[in-house]
Amino acid sequence: MIKLDATTSTNDYAQALLTKGENIAEGTVVIADKQLMGRGQRGNSWVSEPGLNLTFSIILYPKFLRPSDQFELSKAISLGIVSYLRTALPVNLSLISVKWPNDIYVGDKKVCGILIENLVSGAKLTHSVVGIGLNVNQTQFSDSLPNPTSMHLVANSAFDLEQVRKELFGYLDARYLTLRNGAWHKMNKEYAASLYRFGEMREYQVKGVLMRAQICGIDDIGRLILESESGEKVHCDFKEVVFS
Ligand code: BTN
């Protein structure tokens, strides 16, 4: 574990280590109290109050995955976080879910974001930097964030950050080993059942069109499968669907 007081972004720091070509052990974690330029999905920034939350990146070498299977890593990481939070938070298990593709929710609020950056060489995924921002003890958020929450806000009490880190790492490790042992398919059902709004008829904007549909799973390449009221199934990538 490389523990930093401050850095621009732990994902960038991890990428720089890989670029230098040093021998970095798989599972090395870069963790920082403060990120000056934390990055989120879709070019957004990730803002986290220093010292209150977990912001870290894990270096992995998932050479056993083909580039077309890269969403399997996201599934394993998401399930690791969900299963940890289900033990740590005093709420109904079903409230802790994966908002496809990369957010972890408690109820209708986001508690954790994931940013996975992969390097592909030939037909293999050679390097992955798995960035995780988990809101632990922060209780006030900028109004510009749509729906943030934290473990503290959910449980109504503060957490020992070091203990959260250790426990969470245990869950992530276990899921990564399952993936590495080739047992991904074991996780598919659990992943689908853990999806935010799984099986609920709701409104979505799909490829620009408003429709009522229910989430019924993920296809082989990680696209969300929505089933409309008339039974039509639509496979969407993340730019093609808006949750309303
Ligand atoms: C998102 O929800 O948009 C993804 C957020 C990912 C944030 C984490 S914090 C640690 C790592 N370093 C970064 O710059 N981003 C990720």
Side-chain angles (χ1 to χ4, degrees), residues 95-111:
L95 288 178
I96 300 170
S97 65
V98 183
K99 178 160 181 271
W100 179 87
N102 285 305
D103 295 340
I104 307 300
Y105 267 38
V106 181
D108 291 312
K109 295 187 170 178
K110 176 167 171 173
V111 70

Side-chain angles (χ1 to χ4, degrees), residues 20-37:
K20 276 191 216 148
E22 284 167 24
N23 226 350
I24 312 288
E26 177 163 51
T28 295
V29 171
V30 179
I31 186 161
D33 280 340
K34 181 176 179 175
Q35 291 189 119
L36 302 164
M37 281 195 332

Side-chain angles (χ1 to χ4, degrees), residues 49 107 140:
E49 229 176 276
Q140 283 175 336

Side-chain angles (χ1 to χ4, degrees), residues 9-11 35 38-41 46 56 103 110 113-114 131-133:
S9 147
T10 56
N11 266 41
Q35 291 189 119
R39 295 191 288 109
Q41 294 285 330
W46 182 259
F56 62 93
D103 295 340
K110 176 167 171 173
I114 306 167
I132 297 177

